[in-house]
DNA sequence: CATAGTATCTTGCATAACAAAGTACTATAT
DNA sequence: ATATAGTACTTTGTTATGCAAGATACTATG
């Protein structure tokens, strides 16, 4: 148990939310998602992202389409299903509530 | 994979942070922590909290003292160690960064 | 002395994160 | 042509941990 581990733990919970957010903007493939998450300082590696995308696909929140690339191997472009869109709306609320919960606990600490 | 599960997932990551926050205010026993987390709408059950407190104790972030109760069995009162205090400061920063990361991703979605 | 209330601990299962290695395609330099 | 580098997706094995459920144990009360 060290600080780095705890940071990993903390961002785990919101990973799914961020991925759905990114896909909600339009079709995107895994490496692009990976880059954007890293840009936003949300640490994630392939071994986490790919299985997670597969789980979301199996849960019918996502769908994908293979498309050829002019500069490398073919890519899986993901989009949200209708179910995924509804799910994401639920997570929007959850995130807001969670942020408020943390805020309320911090406020009590500082009282 | 359903909405309730995802909410649980989201809360998981910040559980450790909230627990340390609560203990940082002064000595407190597990059931009190449990109540306060539930009050703040952070769902957690005994089977999660007790092993987590034990892990934090083993990592030397927490220490505890048994105290007798006038109305039931004895209680383990937890306090932060110096290491725990430093650790919590690190998590403060992590939480702020994480909230900003999520905010930046949401902002991009709404562009 | 049985029941309820409070408090902590343990067991066993299922899920999931991730490091590491593998597969496979394209572009470019030699 | 072929070796190397870059890109993209997949799989495997280990480890951690969340949690339902049940156990243990103390006190107060009817």
């Amino acid at each position: 148990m060290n600080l780095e581990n705890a940071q990993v733990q903390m961002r785990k919970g919101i990973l799914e939310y961020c991925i759905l957010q990114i896909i909600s903007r339009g079709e995107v493939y895994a490496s692009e998602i990976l880059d954007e998450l890293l840009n936003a300082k949300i640490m994630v590696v392939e071994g986490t992202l790919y299985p997670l995308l597969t789980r979301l696909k199996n849960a019918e929140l996502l769908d994908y389409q293979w498309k050829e690339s002019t500069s490398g191997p073919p890519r899986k472009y993901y989009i949200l299903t209708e179910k995924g869109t509804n799910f994401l709306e639920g997570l929007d609320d959850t995130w807001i509530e969670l942020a408020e919960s943390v805020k309320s606990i911090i406020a009590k600490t500082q009282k």
Side-chain angles (χ1 to χ4, degrees), chain A residues 30-79:
Chain A
S31 297
E32 287 180 315
I33 297 172
L34 200 59
D35 285 347
E36 171 141 6
L37 290 172
L38 294 178
N39 265 332
K41 292 181 191 163
I42 295 169
M43 293 304 125
V44 61
V45 295
E46 292 180 341
T48 301
L49 181 63
Y50 284 98
L52 179 49
L53 287 172
T54 302
R55 282 201 300 282
L56 294 171
K57 167 67 166 62
N58 290 339
E60 298 179 327
L61 302 178
L62 300 182
D63 204 353
Y64 65 77
Q65 229 186 320
W66 282 102
K67 291 199 181 182
E68 286 181 19
S69 163
T70 56
S71 64
R75 299 163 177 170
K76 261 186 180 175
Y77 280 88
Y78 286 92
I79 54 164

Side-chain angles (χ1 to χ4, degrees), chain A residues 2 4-5 16 18 20 26 29 45 49-50 59 77 80 82 84 87 99 109:
Chain A
N2 55 37
E4 208 173 308
N5 259 356
E16 201 173 302
C18 290
L20 292 175
Y29 63 100
V45 295
L49 181 63
Y50 284 98
Y77 280 88
L80 283 193
E82 195 185 328
F87 189 87
T109 302

Side-chain angles (χ1 to χ4, degrees), chain A residues 5 8 90 96 108:
Chain A
N5 259 356
V8 168
I96 290 168
K108 261 195 155 179

